[in-house]
Amino acid sequence: MREKAMENEKRSLSRTSLVVDEDNSSEIIGYFTLTIRHFKLQYEISKSTRQKLAGSRDADIFSTMLIAQLGRSDLYKGKVPGKEILDLALQNCKMIHDLAGLRVVCVEYENIPYLNDFYMVNEFVYLGKNPDNDLNISYIRL
């Protein structure tokens, strides 16, 4: 993963941010990767959802900020909630929104109950499966 993150940084495809513990020798608490992505809207997506995501009831695709990676070090499990790292990622997304106008943030994740619960508790809305990789897609509007 580290090699892919470094290659994507060099190619300006994404940006990975490290969350460090400044009180503990700058240990890495977690990380997140942000990128811009376009998703096709599947035919079953309602017109009102299309409007929310793309600004048009007839849209077939929408642009989004994608939280491509989100993780926490095992050393900080139980000490730093995943929500804190997600909130940092969303703060960066808000800065992008202020500068570039993108309003929707998406995540893609495996269909695992604790991941589903994590994103739903944090106000993400389930959109469906990505037919290209069979991962769940959820979104939040800023």
Side-chain angles (χ1 to χ4, degrees):
M1 189 220 35
R2 184 174 62 192
E3 292 79 21
K4 186 175 180 180
M6 290 171 54
E7 180 63 29
N8 285 342
E9 285 276 341
K10 288 178 190 173
R11 296 175 57 206
S12 291
L13 297 175
S14 65
R15 294 288 181 244
T16 298
S17 298
L18 299 177
V19 180
V20 296
D21 185 347
E22 294 174 352
D23 296 331
N24 191 13
S25 304
S26 296
E27 288 280 334
I28 296 174
I29 297 171
Y31 60 92
F32 57 89
T33 300
L34 301 178
T35 189
I36 304 300
R37 181 96 178 264
H38 308 283
F39 285 107
K40 289 183 180 180
L41 291 166
Q42 301 303 310
Y43 71 92
E44 64 271 5
I45 302 297
S46 72
K47 290 192 178 285
S48 62
T49 299
R50 290 172 190 271
Q51 181 71 39
K52 285 180 193 173
L53 295 173
S56 169
R57 297 173 68 79
D58 299 319
D60 292 329
I61 61 169
F62 71 101
S63 298
T64 181
M65 292 170 274
L66 177 69
I67 301 174
Q69 298 284 331
L70 182 74
R72 177 188 52 218
S73 168
D74 288 340
L75 295 173
Y76 289 87
K77 208 174 228 176
K79 296 178 185 174
V80 176
K83 178 175 178 24
E84 285 188 30
I85 298 169
L86 176 62
D87 286 346
L88 289 171
L90 290 172
Q91 285 176 16
N92 282 9
C93 291
K94 287 177 185 168
M95 286 189 287
I96 294 168
H97 167 66
D98 290 343
L99 294 170
L102 288 174
R103 164 164 266 152
V104 178
V105 179
C106 285
V107 290
E108 284 186 301
Y109 54 94
E110 293 182 32
N111 190 20
I112 300 172
Y114 77 86
L115 289 175
N116 289 321
D117 293 345
F118 175 75
Y119 289 115
M120 296 309 120
V121 164
N122 286 289
E123 301 180 14
F124 279 76
V125 177
Y126 179 74
L127 186 60
K129 291 257 187 214
N130 184 337
D132 296 332
N133 58 19
D134 205 38
L135 294 175
N136 289 352
I137 302 172
S138 291
Y139 74 92
I140 190 169
R141 285 186 52 177
L142 301 176

